[in-house]
Amino acid sequence: MEIINMPKCSLWMIIAILLEVEQYSLAQQRNGLRQNGDKYENTSIPNNCNDKIYGVTLTGNIIEFDNIERTDRKIKILDYVFPFRCNALAKGVNNKIYAVKADEENKTPIYEYNPKSSQGSMSKWVLPSHSDGGWISGAVDSKGKLYFITTTMENLVRVDIRKAEPDIMWSDNMKVSGWKKENCSAGCNFFINQNDELVVKENKGNGLWYIPLKDGYYVAKSEQINSITDINPSNDILEYINGNGSMMTLLLRRDGVSYYSNRKQDTFSLMKIDTVKLGILTDLAGCNNFIKKEEKIVEDEKDDELISVKTNLNESIRLKNILFQLGESELRPESFEDLNKLVRQLKKYPQVEILLEGHTDITGDLDENIKLSLERVNACKKYLINKGIDGKRIQTKGYGSSRPLKRSGNEKEREINRRVEFKIIKGI
């Protein structure tokens, strides 16, 4: 058998090629390929979305719409909450608003604004540079993840608010099977429907395309919006569940919002704005088109006695239905029943003193979680005091995410980590 001796230079050439391939692969992972397999890939952000929707004008004005489908709709002007002109807007399931500077092709951070506190700032998430005219539209999916696209849909980026870096879903829309680049030659906007499909509408036409956000990217179907006019121009499109529980399709005009009905084969105006005063509307944001699947905690036992003579000192007792908005410390009305039960127990045993303990889930910043958990148990303490319990009988402690009951499982299984417990520290 003949043995071939490989020259050393050839061996080094092979090693160099392999290293170059590996570096190229890593660069591709950083610069454009979807990141699969991360710990948040298939987990949801708790959906606390309210029914308010927001429109943004090119000048940066935010307009809040409440009960938009009704004659008694409420419209609130939030003035210039962004320090820039804006085309792309998304509303998170945490009821915060996320916006991107208009016409920016360089790397640009996402601006995060909380309508409740009227506070905003540049976030930790930075969208990548591109050459497609700027970020033109934003949306949110059923898991609470945010999406932004560029003018002709050349780039699609996803943001999970629990992660430090955004995911680049694609950086070349021709990777979408069945897609034609000219579909968005004059710009496109989009929303994400209940099937987690990207529903794309051309700005200056009637075309609609449905692109699933799983199992590869392809045009699942296309259709035309019906209209009595030749074209149906719009600056955005959005699904919205009205007060009767029915789904509406909203079209954003330059000067207002319209409701589109396939049945009526036409659109009619819901409301208009003064574009001279406020500017031209460029994007619409909401998140209530996803059915809220909030798990109702079932009591393990029917016994109303949270405290009894058999209760041990420092025994942890969980208040099972204490609920808060995501990332906030304001009690939701569903919490009052359990807190009222605790009020009755503390009045029954006036000698008892308790320690309220707050816990968050295992996502997010450790220090922020500790702060949040303490704010939440202090909200519980305030409620008890308002019901006549002496505040000296109540101590509070926030543990953040340091004492999880579950470290694995899906989002619903890990919800058990977000809890309020109390211990009797004196009196039994």
Side-chain angles (χ1 to χ4, degrees):
M1 179 175 65
E2 183 178 0
I3 299 176
I4 300 175
N5 293 317
M6 182 178 293
K8 290 184 178 180
C9 60
S10 298
L11 179 61
W12 286 115
M13 286 177 62
I14 292 173
I15 293 173
I17 291 171
L18 291 174
L19 289 173
E20 185 175 346
V21 169
E22 182 180 5
Q23 290 173 357
Y24 174 79
S25 176
L26 290 172
Q28 286 291 90
Q29 291 176 33
R30 289 194 302 269
N31 296 332
L33 297 182
R34 182 176 180 178
Q35 299 175 20
N36 290 315
D38 65 75
K39 62 181 178 179
Y40 299 125
E41 184 73 25
N42 297 308
T43 61
S44 299
I45 298 167
N47 189 343
N48 295 305
C49 179
N50 58 34
D51 293 337
K52 294 177 182 178
I53 61 176
Y54 296 88
V56 63
T57 65
L58 184 59
T59 54
N61 249 315
I62 288 291
I63 304 174
E64 180 182 280
F65 306 110
D66 205 354
N67 303 322
I68 191 171
E69 82 283 3
R70 292 168 24 184
T71 56
D72 62 341
R73 70 180 65 92
K74 299 175 183 177
I75 300 175
K76 182 179 180 182
I77 310 299
L78 303 185
D79 295 321
Y80 300 96
V81 301
F82 303 139
F84 47 68
R85 296 164 67 246
C86 179
N87 284 330
L89 189 74
K91 178 186 175 185
V93 293
N94 56 2
N95 295 314
K96 294 182 180 179
I97 304 172
Y98 300 87
V100 185
K101 184 179 180 182
D103 306 321
E104 182 63 63
E105 293 188 342
N106 296 317
K107 289 182 178 181
T108 182
I110 297 172
Y111 193 87
E112 182 180 53
Y113 178 77
N114 187 346
K116 184 175 179 180
S117 64
S118 301
Q119 298 294 318
S121 62
M122 290 297 182
S123 73
K124 61 186 176 183
W125 307 290
V126 178
L127 298 187
S129 59
H130 61 90
S131 57
D132 191 34
W135 300 94
I136 196 172
S137 188
V140 62
D141 70 9
S142 65
K143 290 184 171 63
K145 299 175 184 180
L146 309 173
Y147 293 76
F148 294 94
I149 63 169
T150 52
T151 301
T152 66
M153 215 180 74
E154 181 75 19
N155 301 269
L156 176 68
V157 173
R158 179 185 67 192
V159 176
D160 189 316
I161 63 175
R162 298 165 295 190
K163 295 174 61 176
E165 299 289 338
D167 296 327
I168 299 175
M169 307 303 282
W170 70 66
S171 57
D172 179 0
N173 57 20
M174 295 308 293
K175 292 178 180 178
V176 179
S177 178
W179 181 256
K180 296 180 180 179
K181 206 173 186 71
E182 58 267 25
N183 290 344
C184 285
S185 58
C188 276
N189 279 270
F190 76 111
F191 71 92
I192 298 174
N193 64 15
Q194 290 183 321
N195 298 322
D196 274 342
E197 293 175 314
L198 207 73
V199 183
V200 181
K201 182 188 179 294
E202 54 185 332
N203 287 356
K204 297 183 179 180
N206 300 334
L208 279 179
W209 295 269
Y210 295 78
I211 302 172
L213 285 171
K214 56 184 178 180
D215 303 326
Y217 305 120
Y218 62 96
V219 176
K221 69 174 181 177
S222 61
E223 60 185 25
Q224 295 286 309
I225 284 183
N226 297 299
S227 178
I228 58 174
T229 58
D230 290 335
I231 60 172
N232 205 330
S234 61
N235 282 352
D236 201 15
I237 184 170
L238 180 71
E239 276 187 348
Y240 171 76
I241 297 178
N242 64 21
N244 297 323
S246 300
M247 186 75 74
M248 302 174 66
T249 299
L250 304 179
L251 295 176
L252 186 71
R253 310 281 191 179
R254 292 164 62 90
D255 60 351
V257 181
S258 295
Y259 165 49
Y260 174 72
S261 169
N262 275 315
R263 180 174 56 83
K264 293 191 175 184
Q265 307 286 294
D266 195 14
T267 60
F268 60 90
S269 179
L270 286 175
M271 53 75 60
K272 288 190 175 183
I273 68 164
D274 183 348
T275 56
V276 175
K277 180 180 179 181
L278 300 175
I280 296 169
L281 285 163
T282 57
D283 211 16
L284 197 61
C287 54
N288 86 334
N289 62 316
F290 300 111
I291 299 172
K292 301 174 185 176
K293 299 178 180 178
E294 295 177 352
E295 181 182 10
K296 185 175 181 180
I297 301 174
V298 179
E299 296 285 351
D300 295 330
E301 55 188 9
K302 296 181 179 180
D303 183 9
D304 285 336
E305 292 290 323
L306 295 172
I307 303 171
S308 73
V309 292
K310 296 181 180 179
T311 306
N312 297 319
L313 284 176
N314 296 314
E315 176 185 347
S316 292
I317 303 169
R318 182 183 174 196
L319 296 170
K320 296 185 178 180
N321 288 299
I322 305 301
L323 303 174
F324 302 88
Q325 298 289 1
L326 177 65
E328 297 184 9
S329 58
E330 183 177 349
L331 284 163
R332 287 168 52 180
E334 299 95 314
S335 308
F336 299 161
E337 182 179 351
D338 268 15
L339 287 172
N340 288 337
K341 187 186 298 185
L342 180 57
V343 168
R344 293 192 295 270
Q345 295 285 286
L346 290 174
K347 288 183 177 180
K348 182 178 178 179
Y349 299 98
Q351 76 280 13
V352 164
E353 297 180 10
I354 64 171
L355 170 66
L356 284 172
E357 300 177 330
H359 305 267
T360 67
D361 61 25
I362 58 175
T363 62
D365 180 79
L366 180 61
D367 292 335
E368 287 297 320
N369 282 342
I370 291 175
K371 179 182 177 182
L372 177 61
S373 62
L374 182 58
E375 289 174 350
R376 286 177 169 177
V377 289
N378 282 334
C380 294
K381 177 179 179 178
K382 181 179 178 181
Y383 184 92
L384 298 177
I385 291 173
N386 289 338
K387 293 295 183 179
I389 305 301
D390 188 346
K392 295 179 181 178
R393 298 173 60 192
I394 308 166
Q395 297 182 32
T396 58
K397 177 77 174 179
Y399 289 100
S401 56
S402 63
R403 297 186 178 185
L405 298 177
K406 289 183 74 73
R407 293 185 179 273
S408 60
N410 58 36
E411 171 62 25
K412 286 297 179 186
E413 291 172 337
R414 292 199 307 272
E415 279 186 357
I416 193 174
N417 292 329
R418 299 191 287 270
R419 66 197 191 276
V420 173
E421 299 173 340
F422 75 91
K423 294 177 179 178
I424 296 175
I425 56 176
K426 184 178 180 181
I428 290 293

